[in-house]
Amino acid sequence: MDFLKSAVASAMAKGPPFPYTFGDKVDLDPSIWTLHNGTRREDGSNCSIFSFDVAANRSALPLAKNALKKLRTLRHPGVIKVLDTAESDSHIYIATERIVPLRWHVKRKSLSPETAKWGLYSIARTIKFINDEASSVHGSLKVASVYTTESGEWKLGGFEVLSNVKDDEAVIYTYGSVVPDSGRYTPPELTKSGWDAIKRSPHSAVDAYDFGALIFEVFNGSFNGGDQVGQTKNVPPSMHSSYKRLTNANPKARLSVAHFLEQGSRNGSFFDSPLIKLTDGIENLGVKTEGEREAFLDDLEHLTDDFPEDFFKMKVLPELLKSVEFGGGGPKAFDIVMKIATKLSNEDFEAKIIPVLIRLFGNPDRAIRVCLLDNLPLMIDRLSPKIVNDKIFPQIVTGFTDVAPVVREQTLKSVLTLITKLSDRTINGELLRYLAKTANDEQPGIRTNTTICLGKIAKHLGTSSRAKVLIAAFSRSLRDPFVHARNASLLALSVTSEYFSEEDCALRLVPAICPSLIDKEKLIREQASKTVDVYLAKIKKAAAGMPDTALPPESAASAAGGPRMSTPQPAESAASSWVGWAISSFTNSLSAAAGEIQSSSTPVNGAAAAAPPPPSSSPTKRPTTASQTPSTTSASNLHRQALKSPPPSAPLSKSPSFFHDDPNDDNFDDAADAWGDMDDMAEDDDDNDDNNDNGGAADFFKSAAEPATKPTTLPNNKKTTTLTTQSASATPFDDGSEPDFAGWLAAQAEKKKGGGIGGKLPKGLAKSSSASSASASGGAAKKKTVVPARPKAVPAAAAAAAAKKKVIDLKPKESAEDGGDGWGGW
């Protein structure tokens, strides 16, 4: 118990209980006080602490107690704000707002003329209040008595001898000369007659003289005594006349600080400046009329950067934020807010601006929303991704569906700014859904900007869906009736080509771009040509790296001389195109065939008309025995692909020279013309399938279960060319997915050996084909073609037995890839 009593007594002896923590000591001019930076223990906020040690400076104790009393009782915006005080027998503590001695700025000469005038204006207002309203004399006005706050405002202290003139026992009369460093600033009348002379002159005369000395010291950096009073060096010329009257040697002729303030506040005078107007206007911005507020904000916009940043941050910014959020300041006030906010530190921005921004984005006022979106680039770097995704973006997306086009457009433009802060899930989910809506907007400008936006954010889209989204969006925009939307799509395609595969470029994008090459607008045609060049260059580059062929190496059977499809080799002529070698493979077989085409009980598989025979040693003699077995290992992959997804049959020339695959022949058909005829043939097949008179795709793939009773024909300019087929036995061939072409040939041969099917030949097949056969053999040997006798009819019982046999459907399965509309969803 004794220990606790001694601890408490020791604490009380050291000083009074004080809920503030002392920090660094601040250098001061000679003073009875020691100034420290401090913090408030309750919330950690900054403050300053004036400390007076009674034991060390007991003679100045009346001055310290007077200052403590006046600071507690005197309340004015220009006076240092007191937070707390503590007094004991050993110490006096005064906690105030965080301040810095003005002497620091004066020594460094860091004050601009506008800032200096603004500070002097504030001190003049405070002195006027002390002299007139408080009927008091400060008595110690100098640079050491003035401090600056964190906001840059000038505040008055140094109240050690502040006294009411009505008090006959005022401390100023007794202790005026005890104030440290008071000799330099004492007016001449007090130097001669003592401090009691204040009673014989206007009480404002002392403060007027000291205010003149303060003006000189602020503009020149130092003040050495009465010899410099009244000198105009570095003092603004507009202030000279009034300044000299402040320092008049006759106290009764001296201009009071109140009159000096009045003269300076006149229009065009030295206190008529934008910064001072701002100081006066910002304090009552919330109660101004709409016209007054607009005029004030107009003046505020024209302020230059040499004004004190701290004041804008600490005083102007909070008032403007309140005006925007509650006082009707509107977009103009917010523009000024963002101008000031760019100079804030990240910590200050997060504490002062972000909470207000989140609330403003939830404001339904369209003018505020558009202003926020316009200023988004100035604030986006200060916003964390979490705040953007969780707080701001959910509010912004309401603008995508707003009825006002300007809001939708500004919301769309803001995507480019927000995209770096959005998560992948938000981009590829909610954002793309809203962009799909703006892509169909009724406003052509919004549709155009959507295309531009997608082109610029392409790199941020997910790789799994990027190509699909961009192709769909740009393809739709290419068909937009608005010329600039089409142009934007072409430009976007040009800069996003890297995100598409070579297959997409060749199969989807180039076909979509090509119609723009003949657009009615020259602008579109030119841009389409440039865009196509970009994609063609990419396709050619990819093609250059592809192998010469996808076919497997030639097998041993083929190398030994077995029968094969005539596949062109790299050494062959460049004119041996796909059409050329496909025809030549049949030419090798048909050149030695003789006789007329006869009906067979096995239907013709649309993949080929006959199996190619083994190569002959003589160009004019080919074996035609039915027992010949063709090799099945040399069938090319390309031929199997033709069986799987058959194109319309190529037209046949009326001239027998069709069977000569000679690119140098004058009668050689062009491949482009063949494609056009085959397209027509496919259409005829669709339109006239019931009649089966055009040999279309359906006939080409007719089921093996259906008996064919008429010859295989191919269209050739609305005429029919008869092909002579050769029968041969073959071994079965089955690759797992293709029709049994060799098996079908073997079945044909077996049935032919059995006598075939009798009956009247269809019309047109009884005609002798000697001329065609002679031409097909190359004209090398002009001999008469032997036409075999027509076979006898098969008995009815045999036909019925054949019908009961298992039916094998050789028709290929249709799929999305092999169907007639191979372009898919296009």
Side-chain angles (χ1 to χ4, degrees):
M1 191 68 178
D2 294 337
F3 172 76
L4 292 177
K5 287 182 179 179
S6 62
V8 172
S10 176
M12 291 297 294
K14 292 182 179 180
F18 201 54
Y20 295 87
T21 301
F22 286 77
D24 298 333
K25 182 179 178 181
V26 179
D27 293 333
L28 282 176
D29 286 330
S31 175
I32 65 173
W33 300 97
T34 302
L35 181 62
H36 295 266
N37 290 327
T39 55
R40 192 173 184 176
R41 295 174 186 170
E42 182 179 357
D43 55 8
S45 57
N46 293 330
C47 68
S48 293
I49 302 174
F50 288 92
S51 174
F52 179 79
D53 188 346
V54 175
N57 199 6
R58 186 170 295 276
S59 62
L61 181 60
L63 298 179
K65 289 187 174 183
N66 185 71
L68 176 63
K69 178 182 177 182
K70 297 302 180 181
L71 284 172
R72 281 174 174 174
T73 57
L74 192 64
R75 291 289 184 265
H76 187 270
V79 175
I80 296 174
K81 182 180 179 180
V82 176
L83 302 178
D84 201 354
T85 61
E87 184 178 3
S88 70
D89 294 338
S90 60
H91 290 83
I92 297 177
Y93 298 139
I94 304 175
T96 69
E97 60 184 322
R98 176 61 65 88
I99 55 176
V100 172
L102 179 63
R103 175 68 67 184
W104 289 13
H105 303 288
V106 171
K107 281 185 175 181
R108 294 197 302 265
K109 295 183 178 181
S110 61
L111 300 172
S112 67
E114 288 296 322
T115 302
K117 286 193 289 185
W118 169 58
L120 290 171
Y121 172 80
S122 178
I123 298 300
R125 292 177 60 188
T126 307
I127 294 296
K128 175 182 178 296
F129 170 78
I130 292 173
N131 291 161
D132 295 349
E133 280 76 5
S135 300
S136 300
V137 178
H138 186 279
S140 184
L141 183 59
K142 52 189 175 183
V143 168
S145 301
V146 181
Y147 302 85
T148 61
T149 64
E150 290 182 302
S151 64
E153 296 174 276
W154 291 19
K155 296 296 183 73
L156 184 61
F159 288 172
E160 289 80 10
V161 293
L162 190 147
S163 303
N164 191 316
V165 294
K166 297 177 182 179
D167 184 4
D168 293 336
E169 301 297 328
V171 69
I172 192 171
Y173 303 127
T174 306
Y175 294 95
S177 59
V178 179
V179 176
D181 204 21
S182 63
R184 285 189 294 160
Y185 302 96
T186 302
E189 68 273 14
L190 297 183
T191 303
K192 292 179 181 180
S193 305
W195 288 85
D196 287 337
I198 296 175
K199 300 177 181 179
R200 298 187 293 271
S201 302
H203 69 278
S204 61
V206 175
D207 292 336
Y209 181 89
D210 289 343
F211 190 74
L214 176 66
I215 292 174
F216 181 87
E217 193 168 9
V218 165
F219 287 109
N220 290 276
S222 63
F223 178 76
N224 298 323
D227 295 340
Q228 293 179 327
V229 173
Q231 294 183 9
T232 59
K233 180 182 178 182
N234 296 327
V235 177
S238 59
M239 198 180 288
H240 286 177
S241 177
S242 300
Y243 159 69
K244 288 180 179 180
R245 293 181 62 187
L246 283 172
T247 57
N248 194 304
N250 183 359
K252 295 182 179 180
R254 229 172 258 161
L255 185 68
S256 68
V257 175
H259 285 92
F260 178 83
L261 181 64
E262 180 184 354
Q263 292 179 5
S265 300
R266 295 171 183 171
N267 289 335
S269 190
F270 47 85
F271 284 152
D272 184 19
S273 68
L275 184 57
I276 293 175
K277 289 181 179 179
L278 167 65
T279 307
D280 293 339
I282 199 65
E283 294 175 355
N284 56 0
L285 181 61
V287 298
K288 289 181 180 292
T289 64
E290 184 176 354
E292 291 173 341
R293 184 168 55 246
E294 289 293 323
F296 171 76
L297 294 176
D298 287 338
D299 293 339
L300 193 58
E301 281 186 319
H302 294 90
L303 292 179
T304 58
D305 294 335
D306 62 348
F307 295 141
E309 296 179 7
D310 293 335
F311 177 73
F312 281 88
K313 178 177 70 174
M314 303 294 295
K315 289 294 184 180
V316 178
L317 185 59
E319 293 298 327
L320 288 175
L321 288 174
K322 288 190 289 185
S323 178
V324 171
E325 194 171 2
F326 308 111
K332 183 176 291 187
F334 188 79
D335 287 338
I336 302 173
V337 166
M338 293 311 303
K339 182 179 179 180
I340 299 172
T342 55
K343 300 181 180 181
L344 297 178
S345 64
N346 291 334
E347 293 77 10
D348 290 336
F349 189 92
E350 183 177 354
K352 299 175 183 295
I353 303 297
I354 290 180
V356 179
L357 286 178
I358 295 174
R359 293 195 296 268
L360 288 177
F361 271 109
N363 193 322
D365 189 339
R366 288 193 179 96
I368 292 294
R369 172 60 63 84
V370 172
C371 185
L372 286 168
L373 296 176
D374 285 340
N375 287 279
L376 197 58
L378 299 177
M379 65 180 84
I380 191 62
D381 291 337
R382 308 287 191 96
L383 300 175
S384 67
K386 180 176 178 58
I387 290 177
V388 173
N389 281 277
D390 298 343
K391 303 291 185 181
I392 294 180
F393 187 74
Q395 301 293 339
I396 287 180
V397 295
T398 60
F400 283 113
T401 56
D402 194 86
V403 296
V406 64
V407 177
R408 299 200 301 272
E409 184 171 8
Q410 289 302 121
T411 304
L412 177 62
K413 291 180 179 179
S414 69
V415 172
L416 299 181
T417 305
L418 290 169
I419 195 70
T420 57
K421 298 291 183 176
L422 297 178
S423 65
D424 292 340
R425 181 177 181 180
T426 302
I427 293 173
N428 296 287
E430 191 173 8
L431 178 60
L432 286 182
R433 286 197 295 271
Y434 281 106
L435 290 181
K437 294 180 180 179
T438 57
N440 291 321
D441 198 274
E442 60 181 9
Q443 296 292 326
I446 295 178
R447 298 197 302 269
T448 303
N449 286 335
T450 301
T451 303
I452 296 172
C453 178
L454 284 170
K456 291 186 176 182
I457 69 171
K459 62 182 178 180
H460 299 285
L461 300 180
T463 55
S464 60
S465 61
R466 177 166 51 203
K468 178 180 178 181
V469 170
L470 295 181
I471 290 174
F474 296 159
S475 299
R476 176 184 298 170
S477 185
L478 283 172
R479 302 188 298 269
D480 198 294
F482 187 52
V483 59
H484 296 292
R486 302 198 299 275
N487 189 50
S489 180
L490 292 169
L491 291 172
L493 283 167
S494 297
V495 299
T496 57
S497 60
E498 60 183 296
Y499 302 120
F500 305 114
S501 65
E502 289 77 9
E503 289 78 7
D504 285 337
C505 294
L507 300 179
R508 307 183 69 180
L509 291 174
V510 171
I513 298 171
C514 284
S516 299
L517 293 171
I518 55 172
D519 195 275
K520 295 181 180 179
E521 298 294 333
K522 182 179 179 181
L523 172 68
I524 304 302
R525 296 194 299 271
E526 292 178 347
Q527 186 57 46
S529 179
K530 296 176 182 177
T531 306
V532 166
D533 290 342
V534 172
Y535 282 87
L536 288 180
K538 181 174 182 178
I539 294 170
K540 291 178 180 178
K541 182 178 179 181
M546 297 174 66
D548 293 341
T549 179
L551 300 177
E554 187 175 8
S555 63
S558 298
R564 66 177 182 86
M565 293 285 289
S566 178
T567 305
Q569 300 303 315
E572 294 185 14
S573 172
S576 297
S577 62
W578 185 86
V579 175
W581 66 256
I583 294 175
S584 68
S585 67
F586 290 99
T587 303
N588 294 334
S589 300
L590 297 177
S591 60
E596 297 182 353
I597 296 178
Q598 298 186 14
S599 300
S600 173
S601 61
T602 304
V604 177
N605 190 325
S616 174
S617 59
S618 173
T620 59
K621 295 182 181 180
R622 291 182 181 268
T624 58
T625 59
S627 62
Q628 179 105 21
T629 303
S631 174
T632 61
T633 60
S634 62
S636 67
N637 289 336
L638 208 57
H639 179 64
R640 291 199 298 273
Q641 183 179 355
L643 288 176
K644 182 178 179 181
S645 179
S649 302
L652 297 180
S653 172
K654 292 187 292 185
S655 172
S657 63
F658 170 83
F659 295 99
H660 293 276
D661 188 20
D662 185 4
N664 298 322
D665 193 342
D666 295 336
N667 296 324
F668 184 73
D669 289 343
D670 183 74
D673 296 334
W675 274 104
D677 292 340
M678 283 187 283
D679 291 341
D680 296 339
M681 190 169 66
E683 293 176 2
D684 292 341
D685 175 65
D686 293 336
D687 297 338
N688 306 311
D689 187 61
D690 293 338
N691 298 329
N692 288 327
D693 56 355
N694 289 325
D699 295 331
F700 202 43
F701 288 104
K702 195 164 287 288
S703 172
E706 180 181 349
T709 58
K710 62 181 182 178
T712 302
T713 60
L714 292 176
N716 185 15
N717 298 331
K718 299 183 179 179
K719 294 185 179 181
T720 303
T721 301
T722 304
L723 297 180
T724 304
T725 60
Q726 180 179 2
S727 176
S729 63
T731 58
F733 175 83
D734 185 8
D735 63 356
S737 61
E738 305 295 344
D740 188 3
F741 180 59
W744 171 74
L745 292 177
Q748 283 245 76
E750 292 297 328
K751 292 191 179 296
K752 188 172 182 180
K753 289 170 65 177
I757 299 175
K760 187 177 180 179
L761 290 175
K763 184 180 180 179
L765 291 185
K767 181 179 178 181
S768 175
S769 59
S770 59
S772 300
S773 299
S775 176
S777 62
K782 297 183 179 179
K783 61 183 178 179
K784 185 175 180 180
T785 303
V786 179
V787 180
R790 185 166 51 193
K792 296 181 181 180
V794 179
K804 291 182 180 180
K805 290 182 178 180
K806 184 178 179 180
V807 178
I808 300 177
D809 187 1
L810 300 180
K811 185 176 181 180
K813 300 295 184 179
E814 294 183 358
S815 65
E817 296 179 356
D818 304 328
D821 56 343
W823 290 104
W826 296 87

